Amino acid sequence: MPVGPSHYFIRKVASMALTGFFREVHVIGEENVPKEGPVIVCCTHHNMMIDPAVLSSTVAYGRPLHYWAKASLFKNPIARKILLASGVIPVDRGSHDNQKLFAGTFEALAHGDAVALFPEGTSYTLPRIVQVKDGASWSALEYLKWIHQGGKNTNKGQELVVVPAGITYTDKSKYRSSAVIEYGPPIHLTDLKQNFLSDSEAETRAAVKSLTHAIEKAMIELTVNAPNWEALLAARTARDLLFESWRGVPLDSFKDVYQTLVDAFSTPWDSDPEFVSLKRSLITYHSLLKSTHLTNGELSHLPLSKSRKSSSEPVPPRLSTILPLLRESIAVLIRLPLFLVPLMINVPIYWMTRWVGEKAAVDEESVAQSKIVVGLVLFLVIHSFWFWVIWIFLAITPIGALIAAVSVWALATYHRRLIDDNYIRAKRLLSAYRVLVGVWGPQRWDLSLSTLTQYTTTQPPPENPFLKLPDSVKKALVRSSSSPIAPTLSTTGAAAAVSDAPTSTPKIKRSQRPPSRKLIRHLLRARADAIRRLAAFIRKIDDPSVRVCASGFMAKTFNPDPNGALQSLFDQAPGGTNAIQTVSGGVEAELNPTGWRSGKEVIAYLRSKGAHVGRILREGEGGEQAFQWDAVSSEGELSSPGSPDDQIRIKQEEVEWVVPGSK
C-alpha cells in the first residue's frame, strides 16, 4: 500500500514545524524498529497532533507510517485520493465485523508497511498512563487470523511485530523545550496466535487482553508515570532545583532521572511531617514560579542564596540585584547586532504564538498544537513575503528567484541556530529585571499571605470528556498527603504565629494573576525553604540502609535483588494489583507496582547524571537560621521593613528528616 508524494510533503512540513518549536527531538531505541516487514507502532498520546508529527519524523529508516481515520472522511473521491496517498487508512467504526473494520489495516500490513496507533484512545494530560484500549491488539491479532484464513500476503511472509513507543516532553507547551521519543523492544505475537485462533471466545478475548496488557506495560516503562499530581509536581520541582532546569538533565537519561525522583516522592512516608512539608514546599515554589512566569533555571543564575548564612532573610540585598541586571543587559546587547535582522523578521511570530498560547492555556492539550500551527502559517507567510521582496528587487529573473530562495533559507537557518542562546539570555534579562523590581519595591506592594494562598497551589487541568475513568482512579490521581499552601498568620493580640492549617483554595482565572512584583519576595522565600527542606531530605536518604520506592522496571534495572518484593503505591484493588482490570473496551493501566532502591544508590545515580547535590546541600545549610516572614497590618497591607516592632520573626526549626521506622 504505497504512499504518494503528499505523505512525504506532510512529513517534511511537520518536521520543519517541530524544528521551529522544539529545541531538540531526541530519539532512543531506533534499532527496535525493523527496517522492513509489517509493524504496528503503539505510541503514547499526550500532546494532540504533535504526537503523530514526532512519531512520523523520527521513525527509523524514514518508514512511512499509516494512521487511522474514520471512513466517513473518504466519501468524497478527491478527499479519498489525497488521504490514501498521504498514508491514511479508513476505519469503519460502525462495523461489528472486525475483518471489515480493519480491512485497510490488513492491506497495509500485507504490503509490509508500518501502521501507527495510539492505544490510549484520546490525548490527555494526567500524571500517568491511565488506560490502554484494545483496538491495537484486535487489529494485530485479527491480521494474523486473516493471514491464517488465506488473506493475500505480499510481504514474503514476514512476521508482524508490535513496537511500543513513548514520548516524554520536558515541558510540552513551552517554546524551545525538548521531546524524547523512545522505541521499545518489539512484542512478538507467536505465543498469542494459537489462543486467539482457538474456537473458545474466552481464550480469544484473553489473548487480546494479554497483548493489550503487554503494550500498556511497555508504554509505562518508556514514559514517566506518577501515582498522583502531588508526587509529579514535587518531583518536577526537585528535578529543576537539582539540575537548575530540565536543560541540565541529559536527554538520554531524562526519563529515568525524572522517574527516579517521582518514585522517591511516591514512597509511602506520608506519616512523617517533614516529608509532607517537603512536598508542600516544592509545590508551593512550583506554583509561584508559574504565577510569576519565571523558571528555576532563570533564577538559578542570579545571586539569590549565595552565602547568606548571616542573614535571616532569603531575599537578596537591593544592591545585589543591580549587577545581574547589568550583566544580562550587556550579554543581550552584545548579541543583538548579530541577531537583529532575524529578530525583526520573526517578531510577529513570537507575538502571535504567545498570544495564542495564552488564549489556549485553559486547555493544556491544545497549547503546543495551537502555537505550532499558528507559528508555521506565519513562518510561511512572512518568508514567502521576503522571497517576493528579494526576487522583485532582483528584477524577477530566474537567477534572482534562486538567490531569493537561498537567502530566505539562509535567514531561517541563521535564526534557528541563534535563537536558543538569545532566547535564554532574553529570559534571564527579564528575570533579573523582575527580581530587581520586586526587591526594590516597597513591601506594601507584596500580597498579604492570606491573599497569596490562591497562587501557591497548582490546579490540575480540566477533565477530558473523552476519558472515562472509574472514580477510584480519579481519586487516586488527586490524592494529596497535604494541602500545599503558603503559611498563614494567626494573630492573638500582639503575638503572631505561623499556622499550617489547610484552607480552601479558590480556583482563579489566569487574568486574575497579579503583577510579578507582588510575588517576588514570596517566591524567593519559597525557593529558599524548598532548598532547605530538599537538602535535609537528601542528607537523610543518602544512606545504604534507607529504602526508596522504585517503579517495577526501575527496581529491576538498578536493584536486581530477587528478595526485593514488589508492592503497590496504591491500596490494592479487589483481585490484587497484578490482575488485569478491564475498562471501556481496554485495560486500565496498572496501579504502578513498585520495588525498592537504596537511598544512597539513588543519590549516587542523580550525581552521576549531573545533579548539583553538593550545591543544594551547601545552600540548604542555613536550616537553623530564622526566616523573616512579612507581617500583615490590620488593613491587610504588608508592613514596612523599617518598623522592627511590627515585624514578625518566626524561628524556623532545624529540619530533621527521619525515615519512618528508623526510630
Side-chain angles (χ1 to χ4, degrees), residues 471-659:
D471 290 340
S472 59
V473 174
K474 293 180 180 179
K475 291 178 181 178
L477 293 173
V478 297
R479 175 189 173 276
S480 174
S481 59
S482 63
S483 178
I485 61 171
T488 57
L489 291 179
S490 175
T491 306
T492 307
V498 171
S499 170
D500 288 331
T503 61
S504 61
T505 305
K507 290 187 178 182
I508 57 172
K509 297 181 180 179
R510 190 178 183 89
S511 59
Q512 292 176 305
R513 287 181 178 174
S516 60
R517 67 175 184 272
K518 294 178 177 289
L519 296 172
I520 288 297
R521 287 193 182 93
H522 297 299
L523 172 66
L524 298 180
R525 293 187 183 99
R527 183 177 189 273
D529 187 56
I531 290 176
R532 181 174 64 91
R533 294 185 183 278
L534 181 60
F537 176 70
I538 291 172
R539 290 191 191 97
K540 290 300 179 180
I541 71 169
D542 193 10
D543 187 316
S545 64
V546 176
R547 296 199 307 172
V548 178
C549 266
S551 298
F553 68 95
M554 297 290 286
K556 292 176 183 177
T557 302
F558 297 100
N559 182 28
D561 181 4
N563 298 322
L566 295 181
Q567 298 183 10
S568 174
L569 291 178
F570 300 99
D571 295 329
Q572 291 196 9
T577 56
N578 291 327
I580 300 177
Q581 304 294 325
T582 61
V583 55
S584 301
V587 170
E588 176 189 328
E590 281 191 38
L591 303 179
N592 286 357
T594 60
W596 301 96
R597 293 169 68 180
S598 159
K600 192 171 187 66
E601 181 271 321
V602 167
I603 300 302
Y605 171 76
L606 293 174
R607 287 181 186 271
S608 70
K609 298 302 178 182
H612 301 290
V613 175
R615 178 179 58 79
I616 292 294
L617 294 177
R618 289 191 299 273
E619 291 188 20
E621 285 177 356
E624 298 182 3
Q625 299 298 322
F627 279 47
Q628 177 180 312
W629 293 89
D630 296 302
V632 183
S633 69
S634 58
E635 293 78 24
E637 297 295 335
L638 290 167
S639 60
S640 167
S643 307
D645 293 337
D646 294 333
Q647 292 175 355
I648 299 173
R649 289 179 178 270
I650 300 168
K651 174 72 174 179
Q652 294 287 335
E653 54 188 294
E654 180 180 4
V655 177
E656 181 182 1
W657 194 88
V658 181
V659 179

Side-chain angles (χ1 to χ4, degrees), residues 12-35:
K12 183 64 178 177
V13 171
S15 178
M16 182 174 64
L18 293 176
T19 301
F21 185 80
F22 290 111
R23 183 170 179 258
E24 180 180 355
V25 177
H26 189 70
V27 186
I28 303 174
E30 290 175 287
E31 67 280 2
N32 290 319
V33 180
K35 186 174 183 179

